[in-house]
Amino acid sequence: MSKIIAIVNQKGGVGKTTTAINLAACFGALERRTLLVDADPQANATSGVGFDPRKVGASIYEAIINGTPASEIVQETDNPNLDLLPGHIDLVGAEIEMIDMEERERQMKKVLDPLRDQYDLIIIDCSPSLGLVTVNALTAADSVIVPVQCEYFALEGLGKLLNTIKIVQQRLNPELVIEGMLLTMYDSRLRLANQVVEEVKTHFQQLVFDTVIHRNVALGEAPSHGQTIIMHDASCKGAVNYLNLAREILQKNQMTRIPDHERTIPVEQ
């Protein structure tokens, strides 16, 4: 039975899709069967693993709106142990089309539940909004990762997101938990970045992942080549960060037997 993790933040540009793509790829590299679900109409996660969203044929839209079995839509990627349930611009219309559906908040859950036995982990890349498709992702998920950019206004909007998660927990998915807050785009040379790290850790304490994602040129370049960071440059700081994050999540969920001395790869500050 797989664990479903939604990557959510209604703020754009915080490293949400970068995290979804590369965390999923790192789980695959660590020999866990992983499915990446692109639930963002921009379909950047789809193009980020080497697919043209305009040419994928069926997408998660057809699964949610038309009831097409997700198993018929899933695509294999070039990454080891990583499959993709593609996204499409049509998802923009899904918000309106789902309004009159019975159990409209549970449509994605119905799509993903039959796939649980095929994967160890399912990662959902959500759109930068708190609309109906994102609520669907939260209802389908077991846990949530919230990327937080190490920049000014980092905590802006987080209250609204946490409130949405609380409402979903109360009304739709009582099992939903916060997997962790992930600090992204960290530059140790900047005083502001260090202040944000301290502020987030003060606010959220144990909820903040030990792993921090550093600013890294290769992380920005990889999507333009349609590659995950593991395929693009497995030795760069960004790849090491995401591998460490994948290990941290596996250990937290008791899904690994990695000895203590192998738990993390040191990264230069």
Side-chain angles (χ1 to χ4, degrees), residues 7 15-25 36 45 123-125 242:
I7 316 287
K16 195 163 52 268
T17 299
T18 300
T19 295
I21 292 170
N22 295 310
L23 179 59
L36 174 62
I123 307 297
I124 309 175
D125 182 33
Y242 277 111

Side-chain angles (χ1 to χ4, degrees), residues 102-254:
E102 211 172 298
E103 294 203 301
R104 60 187 182 185
E105 295 92 352
R106 301 185 193 276
Q107 297 307 308
M108 195 181 298
K109 181 175 173 61
K110 290 176 185 175
V111 168
L112 297 181
D113 276 355
L115 299 175
R116 274 185 179 262
D117 291 336
Q118 299 172 40
Y119 297 97
D120 299 308
L121 292 128
I122 297 176
I123 307 297
I124 309 175
D125 182 33
C126 298
S127 64
S129 75
L130 293 177
L132 191 49
V133 174
T134 298
V135 170
N136 260 260
L138 292 172
T139 305
D142 300 307
S143 67
V144 180
I145 291 175
V146 182
V148 180
Q149 192 178 3
C150 292
E151 292 191 359
Y152 197 56
F153 293 137
L155 299 181
E156 191 185 65
L158 276 186
K160 189 176 180 186
L161 171 59
L162 295 173
N163 193 44
T164 300
I165 291 171
K166 199 172 180 180
I167 291 168
V168 170
Q169 286 169 327
Q170 289 169 346
R171 301 183 188 173
L172 298 163
N173 185 2
E175 308 299 313
L176 184 67
V177 297
I178 295 176
E179 191 76 33
M181 320 288 285
L182 176 66
L183 291 157
T184 63
M185 304 181 194
Y186 174 66
D187 186 338
S188 58
R189 299 167 300 178
L190 300 178
R191 183 189 295 171
L192 176 62
N194 290 303
Q195 286 173 345
V196 170
V197 169
E198 288 310 310
E199 194 176 352
V200 172
K201 285 184 174 176
T202 300
H203 267 77
F204 299 106
Q205 300 173 357
Q206 263 67 48
L207 280 179
V208 184
F209 285 113
D210 293 334
T211 306
V212 174
I213 309 301
H214 290 71
R215 266 198 190 280
N216 180 243
V217 173
L219 278 175
E221 290 174 347
S224 65
H225 299 282
Q227 292 179 324
T228 63
I229 197 64
I230 288 290
M231 300 296 279
H232 182 65
D233 183 358
S235 64
C236 74
K237 186 180 279 190
V240 171
N241 288 162
Y242 277 111
L243 274 168
N244 281 339
L245 177 64
R247 285 195 177 97
E248 186 176 344
I249 292 168
L250 291 176
Q251 285 153 19
K252 183 180 176 185
N253 289 281
Q254 300 175 323

